[in-house]
Amino acid sequence: MDVPDIALPPELDRVLRDYERAWRAGDAADLAALFAEDGFILQSNRPPVRGRKAIQAAYEDGSGGPLRLRALAFHTETMTGYIVGAYGYGDGPGDTGKFTLTLRRTPGQPWLIFSDMDNQNAPPKQRN
């Protein structure tokens, strides 16, 4: 069952659109710049990665392609927030996976990603 999209406020939507642009371009430096200096990426089947430099290195070989992100829920307070969403690639129907972004900011500054956790919608592989 698909969960419908929601509209994000412009300052949160910018985070998703900037992420898509940097991913599509395969630009690991621009992707890492979206994260807090001490941020995390938490990907399926990989250990946690912490810090902008490590995030950039992790994305050096793994970004690129027609990523599309959509928001399912969000909430913000003065300095923290989150976006729950789904992702896919290209123009095909349906989502490939889902994600949560925890966000942090200094008042008056743009939102930065503190953690990005994602996983695919595919069922786990059977072990023999």
Side-chain angles (χ1 to χ4, degrees):
M1 176 171 129
D2 284 337
V3 177
D5 298 22
I6 62 161
L8 292 173
E11 65 272 13
L12 295 181
D13 191 60
R14 177 211 48 92
V15 174
L16 296 188
R17 299 316 131 219
D18 288 353
Y19 197 110
E20 285 175 333
R21 275 190 288 281
W23 185 272
R24 289 173 182 167
D27 192 327
D30 278 358
L31 275 166
L34 298 172
F35 284 79
E37 190 62 46
D38 58 345
F40 287 87
I41 55 174
L42 307 164
Q43 299 171 311
S44 295
N45 304 313
R46 296 185 181 162
V49 174
R50 185 173 198 177
R52 246 190 224 144
K53 288 181 183 179
I55 289 169
Q56 181 174 340
Y59 283 142
E60 289 291 341
D61 296 324
S63 61
L67 177 68
R68 58 184 163 72
L69 303 172
R70 62 189 194 95
L72 307 177
F74 78 96
H75 179 77
T76 60
E77 298 287 337
T78 304
M79 297 173 49
T80 60
Y82 65 81
I83 300 171
V84 175
Y87 67 89
Y89 294 93
D91 295 327
D95 299 318
T96 304
K98 60 267 184 204
F99 66 87
T100 61
L101 298 179
T102 54
L103 306 171
R104 187 168 73 190
R105 74 171 172 179
T106 302
Q109 297 295 313
W111 288 102
L112 294 173
I113 300 167
F114 180 69
S115 70
D116 175 1
M117 180 182 289
D118 67 80
N119 60 39
Q120 295 183 349
N121 289 341
K125 294 182 181 183
Q126 298 294 322
R127 294 182 185 211
N128 293 333

